[in-house]
Amino acid sequence: MRCWPATSILKRGTWPNATALLSQAGLAARAADLKARAARFGKPAYDSAARAACRLAAELDAAGGDVPHAVRQADVFDPAQLQRTLGRHAPDIVMTDVPYGEQTHWRGPSAAAGVSGMVEALSAVLPHDSVIAVTVRGRKVPADRGPRPQASFKIGTRAVALFRTS
């Protein structure tokens, strides 16, 4: 399996959205972008990340193909809107990379509720034992009230907290 095309399919400085990383084509595109950055900036870390994306694409291929997924948009603090958006779908996992204040901010009437409010609202509409994976830039996912994470860890500059609905 050839991981990155001879010419990048991406515009300079862009890459597919995160859900594209759940597909072989998306991982190949990300690898191509990282390979181009490695050549442009001479940084070995980009080359290493490109190889990792290729390994993930190969693992997807070996496991039978792309990961089924769906993207939904709703006010994350509004359980009624979340329920309408989900409809009959009952996700096993929700993954989110929350705003961290550099380019985006929480908005809306419940914005002050932050991560805790988001986890509480999601917990109200997700099936029992669903997982909510919250990622933030920084040392720790701010969960000062409400549900406590079942596990937390770091990946590079990101902190990740895993919550389970009850």
Side-chain angles (χ1 to χ4, degrees):
M1 173 175 156
R2 185 171 169 199
C3 191
W4 47 77
T7 58
S8 176
I9 61 171
L10 303 171
K11 294 179 183 175
R12 182 181 297 175
T14 65
W15 65 282
N17 64 40
T19 61
L21 298 180
L22 299 173
S23 71
Q24 295 171 59
L27 284 163
R30 180 64 173 151
D33 180 51
L34 290 164
K35 193 75 171 162
R37 288 173 184 249
R40 182 174 176 202
F41 300 114
K43 292 195 173 196
Y46 286 128
D47 207 31
S48 177
R51 287 192 305 276
C54 287
R55 284 192 306 275
L56 286 172
E59 288 180 24
L60 276 181
D61 187 43
D66 299 348
V67 175
H69 62 280
V71 176
R72 308 265 189 247
Q73 182 177 347
D75 179 345
V76 75
F77 300 112
D78 183 346
Q81 191 178 127
L82 287 169
Q83 188 62 59
R84 283 191 306 274
T85 301
L86 288 174
R88 295 173 305 160
H89 300 281
D92 297 316
I93 186 168
V94 172
M95 299 184 313
T96 181
D97 189 2
V98 300
Y100 44 86
E102 291 179 8
Q103 296 178 2
T104 58
H105 301 276
W106 294 106
R107 294 187 312 190
S110 301
V115 170
S116 296
M118 175 187 70
V119 171
E120 287 174 353
L122 285 168
S123 294
V125 299
L126 294 174
H128 176 73
D129 273 350
S130 294
V131 173
I132 304 167
V134 180
T135 307
V136 299
R137 177 180 284 176
R139 299 181 64 176
K140 185 178 176 188
V141 174
D144 48 356
R145 62 176 182 76
R148 306 305 306 160
Q150 299 288 308
S152 58
F153 51 92
K154 295 260 310 167
I155 301 175
T157 62
R158 303 299 235 204
V160 180
L162 302 177
F163 298 84
R164 185 173 296 277
T165 61
S166 53

